[in-house]
């Protein structure tokens, strides 16, 4: 009996020592660093919903941020990343508070779902600049990329290459930015071939290897050879490759995942935006009402897959891109109808950015429903 | 239309195979009286370890073996907790689920989001694969599918026609009587739990070595839970597990196709179909309005403690 | 008869904690003999056999088997040596077939099961020892007697030389028991040695060759069956102690009609008819016994009366009021109480404490709960009352009842069931597995209840108990009511005939 | 069971102090084991744990965060626990949570405007009803056809979450918004914050205490306990088992639905896709770790909430995010393994194997329970 109690006591003593020993060692960082900010002292916090090398959205954000920092000479060690932060208030608040207590100057919320929560938190602490992907909400610098410009080119290229009029699109979840990608792709296809139709299939998941595989298979079974995608796993390109179909990668350059199927990829390039935000933060000129809605270089395309895409098509795509950049082509320009027969934009007019951002429609030549 | 059906069938087979390894393994484990709720986590460990090996060595066979080894080790740990320490099987399963999903993410961090150079590719079987329809459905698959063609009859034969299978069935019904007969009940349970975990990791490897050549945290996306549900659904008979897996796979694939053929219904409702079908099928096959002797192993989830005898 | 012993156990001693279960026991077994181990429950018979089977290890003592010294380490080891046992609770797997169960017990059989070969082997033994079993039947479909045959068959298929049977006749009719002993004799003639455990002196005298009597873990007597007589055995079994003679047998006045059961038809768990349209009447102030072999429908009858089992057709009237469809709670409130046969699986909740077990039937009553809240003081008081009234020994009111001895558990159960003076007490095998002291106390309680004016429906498989206690006896066989007799006007032989299904 | 000179013997009773002390010891042991993983990653475990604890428990803001994170966990834990009190495995708290939020949300967003306290009360009950009804599907299948409730509740999770997705991405989605959320609920339905802490905590405490009292002191709790311990005895005693299956599973679902209520009115103030965020599954863990004691559930929820919340702060130190999940799993495994030592005592063999210690043992065999006589 005694032995038992002695052993228990021992464990308790050890454990107490273990924890008292550690509580002394973690004092909050002094705030001597405050004051003048420069590129060597700025501390940046990044909050992502998955891991930063997820092969998709988070990776694109992270790489863009690293590129911007490198350009400005900010050491990589100044960046603190918190991964796997769920899109709910408690998780976001917790990540924010942890970063705040670490003394960061800028927080980048890399998922649209953080917006409303970060907005409240940012109001309580104006010292920290918060930039947030997605909608424009109070107290946050908002940023978003006109992905439909890149996807317009994707659809254009697909339609040029496809022999049939029917193209496909594998979507993840019906969210505005996803719909923008779909509509961009469809309008691009129509630009190349007025008869082009885009069959849409939803996976109803942001990341599901199975469902994405099945989406691609379903499209291929429809006789579709070329498809666009808005998905994060490599399942769709790989399914295309296995079934002699082709697709346009999304988020990051997906060439290596399926070298025989990916024509090129649409890539998010936040680097110019981040560069601007970082500069403003260091200068002290950051304005929380600022909103970036960028196309052009931000809606980047990866290099073409020369083995598949003929040179003439490459040229055509590049020339359309130039026209887009110059504003000669308006993706959401009139006359524009949705696939339920409503006129969205009258002839000669252009849809407002507000409407583009929250778009709740699918354009005329998309087969499918957004609801 | 024919090509549509064959393609759905072929896809349903691929889907079914990826959960059947885990489900058949779990049938053995539950027949031995041990329930493992942590299948999802163990599958992730399988997917991660297999991919990790293939990424670094480009040797698929080695990856397959490493996957099995990882499964055996996890099984050993699970058996130690549930058989030797007689811990509650439900909590243990949950703990394994959490621990393994964390561990797989942690260990696999360095290879997340990168493709490996090789993966298991479909191997059309000469001759058989050119049979119309059937060839396309059954014989243009990869090694995991062909292996499953062996696993199904072997597991049924083992359970119902061999001495060891007989002992396994008795083990789940009444471990005390086996113990009295001088059979090492604990060793048997260790064996079957380890076997089940190895099968579960193979299911994981299906996803990272054959479905794709890619690893990402949580990439099994709930397949482990489906495999778990399949076990009771199958009434602990691998043959019914096969039917259940094909049904679930078929319906979920059909659900996506329905978006094309029957548009207008919000796609989430098609997503619900396989789960609703599972409930309905479960009610039909196991509901007690069918007067039948219950197939559930009587000792399932019961701690076996010699001193309680 | 100068043969060398096949097995010799010398000075076997086994302690459980402070209790000496076996105290220097010697036992010899010769080839081809039937050896009876006689003794009461708790006298150490089963412990000795479990040592022989390698389940327990003795603290001291040695064993010689075929002249070789050595300890039997495990049941497997015992099996390899050719020693096998039929336990009182069969170790069969109900979902498997007979053949599969036998396969399971074999150490050496091919990996792939040869069903045909096994069935042939079973048939061969069936004929040789007149031991009828259907190899293809599932065990859960078999009667208890058939299951016992499967157990014996298992030992034969394993080529056992020593067969140990623990209380083999407890579940059999006299006729079935006779058949079984014939089988045992045939096996002995083929050179097998048989040990059977029993507490019934008659059968021991009749069927054994030699008898060893155990009491409190010691051998008190050894004799050849031919030398045995009841007095000698009785003295060895119970010692010099006086067995309390039950004196309050005197019959009270005949009571009024309490229960009138008409054409009851009840199904068993397998959905088969367990009671074939039986009718009987119970009167207040009598003990009405139900005799019959285990599985003749007693359980279904008790459960049907208690309201636990649906009555398919027929009616039950209580004092003229229909209660056929009344649920359990309704019947409890009308004064029907039930002491079930399986006290730890049905009557009591082993994992809960005494207070919680005490209040099981009455917690809804005003005295023990108010507005859904349990009155713990009243419950404690009731428990304490039971403890003092029935002399229940316990380690504490807050400890689980699984820690109490069987006798005290049963006393608690009975105390609960007779609390509130019920009019009908259904007592199923109320003294099964209890020692003499507890048995006497419980018998006394039942008689007191009768004398108070309650009707006791006593279900028992011990004819001694029935003849000692009951006023009337009904015999069930295969779910049919074979007849009702006044106990004073019948004898063992008639009841035995009825139990085996012979009409009077 | 024997390993060398050590033998494990079964204990018949466990003292209260041991019951309390045992998990504490093994939680500490779990931390020691977890430090292996931390060291494997090149970090010193002591500062990491120190930071985790100081950040999430030992300062006000952290503690508030931990309590807020723990709120839905508490209700889910209670939900799982009450079902398990009757041996029912409800792994569907996740879906019942979602359904509760959907029912309550429908009222808050589209229902008639009611004066302030009343609207909150109505919403509370609607959330409970939503969760309860969802659980009732599994309950009815279990009670009447004996269909395995584990699988049914699990499948219903997927269906409920997809339905929530459908609403939040579709008809309920806020206009001018791109994320899968509804508009905020009317401000007068917000649960007030008290010093940053959601007042839902009081609701949790009240419900936990009520549940504790219910299980311990009422006839209902008593009957549930009888059913858990022995189904046959319950039937024998005339306890309506089927009715209790329906009631208890519905109550279990209702509690998970209330988790939806506190999350929507106290924290998020809107309905969003993936609202439960795994709380239902964590609830299983909490219920079992707390041995289904409602009061302990509150405490364990806060600890798990703190653990989840410390995920961020250890990442700042550079420790990978998955480590927190692993610590959680390690702690659970450690506590589960520790349970063994509640049931068994270790005996060190000396010369005489069945010496003094063995004599204390209450034993099996014929003499079973002989110790009391």
């Amino acid at each position: 009996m005694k032995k038992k109690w002695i052993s228990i006591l021992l464990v308790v003593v050890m454990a107490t020592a273990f924890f008292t020993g550690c509580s002394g060692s973690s004092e909050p960082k002094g705030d001597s660093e405050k004051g003048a900010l420069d590129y060597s002292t700025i501390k940046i916090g990044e909050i992502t919903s998955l891991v930063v090398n997820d092969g998709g959205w988070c990776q694109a954000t992270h790489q863009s941020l690293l590129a911007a920092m490198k350009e400005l000479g900010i050491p990589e060690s100044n960046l603190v990343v918190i991964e796997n932060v769920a899109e709910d208030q408690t998780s976001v608040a917790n990540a924010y508070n942890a970063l705040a207590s670490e003394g960061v100057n800028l927080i980048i919320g890399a998922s649209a779902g953080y917006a409303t929560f970060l907005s409240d938190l940012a109001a309580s602490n104006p010292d920290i600049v918060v930039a947030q992907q997605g909608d424009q909400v109070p107290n946050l610098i908002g940023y978003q990329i006109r992905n439909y410009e890149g996807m317009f080119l994707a659809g254009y290229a697909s339609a040029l290459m496809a022999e049939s009029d029917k193209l496909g699109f594998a979507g993840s979840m019906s969210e505005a930015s996803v719909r923008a990608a779909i509509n961009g792709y469809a309008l691009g296809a129509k630009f190349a071939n007025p008869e082009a139709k885009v069959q849409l299939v939803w996976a109803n998941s942001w990341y599901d290897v199975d469902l994405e595989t099945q989406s691609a298979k379903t499209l291929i079974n429809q006789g579709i050879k070329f498809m666009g995608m808005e998905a994060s796993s490599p399942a769709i390109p790989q399914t295309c490759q296995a079934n002699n179909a082709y697709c346009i990668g999304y988020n990051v350059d997906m060439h290596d995942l399926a070298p025989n199927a990916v024509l090129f990829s649409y890539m998010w390039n936040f680097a110019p935006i981040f560069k601007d935000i970082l500069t403003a933060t260091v200068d002290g000129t950051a304005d929380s009402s600022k909103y970036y809605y960028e196309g052009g270089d931000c809606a980047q395309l990866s290099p073409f897959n020369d083995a598949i895409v003929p040179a003439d098509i490459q040229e055509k795509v590049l020339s359309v891109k130039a026209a887009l950049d110059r504003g000669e082509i308006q993706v959401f320009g009139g006359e524009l109808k949705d696939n339920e027969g409503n006129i969205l934009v009258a002839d000669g007019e252009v849809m407002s950015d507000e409407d583009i951002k929250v778009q709740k429609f699918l354009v005329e030549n998309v087969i499918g429903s957004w609801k | 239309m024919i090509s549509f059906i064959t393609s759905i069938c072929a896809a349903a087979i691929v889907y079914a195979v990826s959960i059947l390894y885990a489900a058949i393994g779990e049938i053995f484990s539950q027949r031995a009286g041990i329930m493992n709720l942590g299948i999802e986590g163990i599958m992730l460990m399988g997917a991660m370890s297999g991919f990790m090996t293939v990424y670094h060595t480009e040797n698929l066979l080695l990856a397959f073996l490493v996957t099995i080894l990882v499964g055996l080790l996890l099984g050993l740990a699970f058996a130690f907790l549930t058989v030797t320490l007689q811990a509650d099987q439900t909590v243990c399963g949950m703990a394994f689920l959490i621990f393994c999903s964390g561990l797989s993410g942690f260990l696999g961090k360095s290879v997340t989001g990168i493709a490996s150079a090789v993966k298991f590719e479909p191997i059309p079987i000469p001759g058989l694969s050119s049979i119309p329809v059937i060839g396309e459905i059954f014989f243009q698959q990869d090694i995991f599918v062909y292996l499953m063609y062996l696993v199904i009859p072997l597991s049924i034969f083992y359970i119902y026609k061999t001495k060891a299978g007989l002992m396994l069935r008795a083990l789940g019904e009444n471990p005390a009587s086996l113990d009295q007969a001088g059979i090492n009940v604990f060793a048997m349970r260790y064996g079957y739990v380890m076997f089940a975990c190895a099968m579960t990791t193979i299911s994981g490897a299906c996803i990272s070595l054959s479905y794709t050549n890619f690893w990402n945290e949580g990439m099994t996306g709930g397949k482990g839970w489906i495999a778990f549900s399949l076990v009771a659904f199958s009434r602990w008979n691998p043959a019914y597990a096969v039917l259940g897996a094909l049904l679930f796979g078929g319906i979920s694939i059909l659900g996506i196709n329905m978006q094309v053929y029957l548009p207008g219904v919000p796609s989430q409702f098609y997503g619900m179909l396989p789960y609703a079908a599972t409930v309905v099928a479960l009610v039909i096959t196991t509901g007690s309005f069918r007067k039948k002797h219950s197939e559930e192993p009587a000792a399932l989830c019961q701690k076996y403690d010699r001193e309680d005898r | 008869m100068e043969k060398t012993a096949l097995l010799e156990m010398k000075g076997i001693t086994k302690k459980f904690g402070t209790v000496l279960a076996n105290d220097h026991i010697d036992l010899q077994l010769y080839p081809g003999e039937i050896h009876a181990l006689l003794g009461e429950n708790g006298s150490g018979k089963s412990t000795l056999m479990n040592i022989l089977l390698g389940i327990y290890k003795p603290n001291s003592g040695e064993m010689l088997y075929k002249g070789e010294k050595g300890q039997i380490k495990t049941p497997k080891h015992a099996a390899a040596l050719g020693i096998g046992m039929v336990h009182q609770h069969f170790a069969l797997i109900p979902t498997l077939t007979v053949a599969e169960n036998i396969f399971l017990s074999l150490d050496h059989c091919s990996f792939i099961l040869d069903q045909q070969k096994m069935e042939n082997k079973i048939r061969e033994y069936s004929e040789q020892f007149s031991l009828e079993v259907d190899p293809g039947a599932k065990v859960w479909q078999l009667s208890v007697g058939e299951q016992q045959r499967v157990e014996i068959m298992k030992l034969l298929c394993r080529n056992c030389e020593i067969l140990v049977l623990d209380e083999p006749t407890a579940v059999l009719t006299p006729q079935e028991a006779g058949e079984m002993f014939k089988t045992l004799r045939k096996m002995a003639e083929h050179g097998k040695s048989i040990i059977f455990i029993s507490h019934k002196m008659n059968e021991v005298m009749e069927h054994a060759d030699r008898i060893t009597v155990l009491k409190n873990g010691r051998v008190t007597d050894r004799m050849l069956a031919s030398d045995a007589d009841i007095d000698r055995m009785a003295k060895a079994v119970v010692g010099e102690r006086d067995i309390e003679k039950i004196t309050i047998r005197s019959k009270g006045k005949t009571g009024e009609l309490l229960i009138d059961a008409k054409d009851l038809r009840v199904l068993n768990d397998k959905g088969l008819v367990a009671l074939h349209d039986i009718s009987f009447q119970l009167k207040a102030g009598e003990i009405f016994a139900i005799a019959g072999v285990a599985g003749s429908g007693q359980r279904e009858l008790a459960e049907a009366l208690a309201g636990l089992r649906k009555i398919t057709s027929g009616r039950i009237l209580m004092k003229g009021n229909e209660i056929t469809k009344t649920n359990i709670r309704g019947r409890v409130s009308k004064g029907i109480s039930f002491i079930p046969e399986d006290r730890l699986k049905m009557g009591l909740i082993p994992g809960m404490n005494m207070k919680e077990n005490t209040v099981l039937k009455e917690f809804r009553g005003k005295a023990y709960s108010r507005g859904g809240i349990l009155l713990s003081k009243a419950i404690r008081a009731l428990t304490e009352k039971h403890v003092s009234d029935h002399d229940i020994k316990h380690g504490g009111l807050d400890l689980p009842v699984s820690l109490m001895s069987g006798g005290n558990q049963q006393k608690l159960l009975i105390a609960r069931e007779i609390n509130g003076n019920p009019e009908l007490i259904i007592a199923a095998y109320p003294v099964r597995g209890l020692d003499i002291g507890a048995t006497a106390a419980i018998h006394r309680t039942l008689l007191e209840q009768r004398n108070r004016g309650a009707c006791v429906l006593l279900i028992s498989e011990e004819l001694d108990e029935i003849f000692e206690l009951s006023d009337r006896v009904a015999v069930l066989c295969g779910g049919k009511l074979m007849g009702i007799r006044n106990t004073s006007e019948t004898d063992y032989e008639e009841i035995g005939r009825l139990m085996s299904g012979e009409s009077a | 069971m024997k390993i060398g000179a050590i033998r494990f013997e079964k204990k018949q009773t466990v003292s209260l102090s041991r019951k309390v002390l045992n998990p504490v010891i093994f939680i500490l042991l779990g931390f020691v084991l977890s430090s292996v993983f931390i060291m494997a990653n090149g970090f010193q475990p002591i500062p990491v744990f120190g930071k985790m604890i100081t950040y999430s428990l030992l300062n006000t803001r952290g503690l508030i965060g931990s309590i807020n994170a723990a709120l839905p966990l508490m209700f889910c834990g209670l939900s799982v626990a009450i079902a398990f009190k009757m041996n029912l495995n409800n792994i569907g708290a996740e879906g019942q949570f979602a359904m509760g939020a959907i029912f309550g949300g429908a009222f808050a967003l589209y229902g008639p405007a009611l004066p302030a306290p009343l609207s909150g009360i109505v919403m509370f009950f609607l959330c409970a009803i939503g969760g309860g009804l969802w659980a009732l599907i599994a309950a009815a299948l279990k009670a009447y056809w004996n269909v395995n409730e584990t699988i049914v509740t699990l499948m219903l999770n997927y269906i409920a979450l997809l339905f929530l997705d459908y609403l939040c991405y579709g008809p309920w989605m806020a206009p001018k918004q791109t994320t899968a959320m509804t508009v905020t609920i009317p401000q007068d339905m917000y649960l007030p914050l008290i010093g940053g802490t959601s007042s839902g905590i009081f609701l949790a405490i009240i419900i936990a205490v009520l549940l504790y009292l219910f299980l311990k002191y009422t006839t209902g709790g008593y009957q549930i306990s009888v059913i858990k311990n022995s189904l046959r005895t319950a039937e024998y005693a005339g306890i309506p088992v089927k009715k209790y299956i329906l009631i208890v599973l519905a109550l279990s679902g209702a509690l998970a639905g209330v988790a939806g209520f506190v999350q929507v009115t106290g924290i998020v103030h809107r309905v969003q896709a993936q609202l439960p965020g795994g709380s239902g599954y964590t609830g299983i863990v909490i219920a079992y770790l707390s041995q289904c004691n409602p009061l302990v559930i509150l405490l364990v929820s806060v600890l798990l909430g703190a653990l989840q919340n410390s995920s961020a702060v250890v990442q700042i130190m550079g420790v990978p995010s998955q480590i927190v999940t692993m610590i959680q799993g390690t702690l659970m495994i450690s506590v589960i393994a520790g349970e063994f030592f509640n049931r068994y005592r270790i005996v060190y063999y000396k010369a005489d194997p069945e010496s003094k210690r063995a004599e204390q043992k209450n034993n099996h065999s014929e003499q079973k329970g002989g110790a009391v006589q």
Side-chain angles (χ1 to χ4, degrees), chain D residues 26-302:
Chain D
F26 279 91
I27 284 178
L28 294 178
L29 190 71
F31 275 110
V32 174
L33 285 176
S34 311
S35 54
V36 175
F37 301 115
I38 295 174
M39 287 194 286
N41 225 48
F43 292 91
Q44 285 299 318
I46 293 176
V48 172
F49 288 133
K51 184 114 189 196
M52 282 169 73
I53 290 168
T54 43
Y55 175 77
S56 62
L57 287 173
L58 300 183
N59 78 59
T60 326
R61 191 166 63 177
L63 188 63
I64 289 171
S66 301
I67 290 176
N68 287 348
L71 261 182
L73 302 181
M74 288 175 186
F75 287 101
C76 290
L78 291 174
S79 160
V80 176
I82 175 98
F84 191 68
K85 277 280 177 189
M86 229 177 77
N87 269 354
L88 296 168
N89 277 320
N90 177 15
I91 54 177
E94 188 87 352
Q96 292 141 17
F97 185 146
M99 272 298 165
I102 289 170
F103 269 57
F107 167 75
L109 297 167
Y110 302 100
L114 295 175
L118 186 65
S119 60
I121 293 166
V122 170
M123 178 161 171
F124 172 84
F125 281 107
L126 276 171
C127 288
I129 288 169
L133 284 178
W134 200 239
L136 213 50
I137 298 175
L141 292 176
K142 171 80 182 176
Y144 295 109
W145 291 333
N146 198 25
V147 178
N148 186 323
E149 80 283 2
T150 316
I151 300 178
V152 176
T153 50
L154 176 66
M155 293 294 127
L156 289 178
N157 281 349
Y158 291 103
I159 296 176
L161 288 177
L162 277 165
F163 188 56
L164 183 64
D165 270 3
Y166 160 70
L167 292 173
C168 293
Y169 281 100
W172 284 15
M173 195 178 193
K176 304 264 170 211
Q177 264 236 315
T178 56
T179 41
M181 291 176 176
T182 65
V183 294
T184 51
I185 59 171
Q187 201 132 26
D188 59 3
M189 287 171 88
Y190 287 13
L191 273 183
L193 290 180
I194 298 169
T197 318
S198 165
S199 51
I201 183 72
F202 296 107
L203 195 63
I205 293 172
I206 292 168
I207 290 182
V209 170
L210 284 179
L211 212 55
Y212 178 80
L213 296 176
F214 169 74
L215 289 172
K216 191 148 189 191
Y217 294 110
T218 68
T219 53
Y222 172 74
Q223 293 178 71
I224 288 171
S225 169
V226 173
I227 295 172
K228 179 194 171 89
N229 274 282
S230 169
L231 198 63
R232 278 182 69 193
T233 309
E235 281 167 352
Y236 157 77
I239 294 170
V241 176
K242 281 184 181 167
K243 195 173 112 192
Y244 268 88
I245 291 176
L246 296 175
I247 293 176
V248 166
L249 264 184
L251 185 61
S252 169
L255 284 167
V258 173
F261 172 75
V262 292
Q263 192 72 350
V264 170
T265 58
I267 312 271
V268 191
H269 301 143
R270 50 167 71 73
V271 181
Q272 66 171 90
Q274 302 301 317
L275 184 76
S279 304
Y281 296 105
T282 316
I284 304 172
V285 176
I286 291 169
Y288 282 93
L289 286 185
S290 322
Q291 318 236 308
C292 297
N293 180 326
L295 304 178
V296 181
I297 284 173
L298 298 183
L299 196 72
V300 173
S301 301
V302 174

Side-chain angles (χ1 to χ4, degrees), chain C residues 477-488:
Chain C
C477 175
K480 294 196 176 75
L481 187 60
M482 303 309 296
I484 300 177
R485 300 283 183 273
N486 286 324
T487 316
S488 54

Side-chain angles (χ1 to χ4, degrees), chain A residues 51 53 202 204 210 221 238, chain B residues 7 211 213 217 223 259:
Chain A
V51 288
N53 52 349
W202 295 109
N204 279 314
D210 264 314
N221 288 341
Q238 289 180 344
Chain B
S7 140
Y211 244 69
N213 53 346
E217 252 191 278
K223 278 190 164 188
Q259 290 183 36

Side-chain angles (χ1 to χ4, degrees), chain C residues 282-345:
Chain C
L282 304 180
K283 299 192 183 79
E286 71 167 348
I287 293 185
F288 185 88
I290 305 279
V293 180
S296 301
Q298 297 98 319
R299 205 181 109 201
E300 287 78 7
L301 174 62
E303 291 182 0
L305 282 175
L308 273 165
R309 195 171 281 274
K310 213 178 126 201
I311 292 159
T312 315
S313 68
R315 329 161 48 187
I316 304 174
L317 302 178
M318 186 172 186
K319 291 180 174 173
N321 301 319
E322 177 106 32
I323 57 163
T324 317
K325 291 224 162 70
T326 313
N327 64 15
I328 306 162
R329 276 166 67 182
R331 296 196 202 197
V332 169
S333 65
K334 283 191 160 61
I336 296 179
S337 77
F338 178 29
I339 300 160
E341 59 179 297
D342 206 338
R343 61 178 165 265
L344 284 181
K345 285 200 180 127

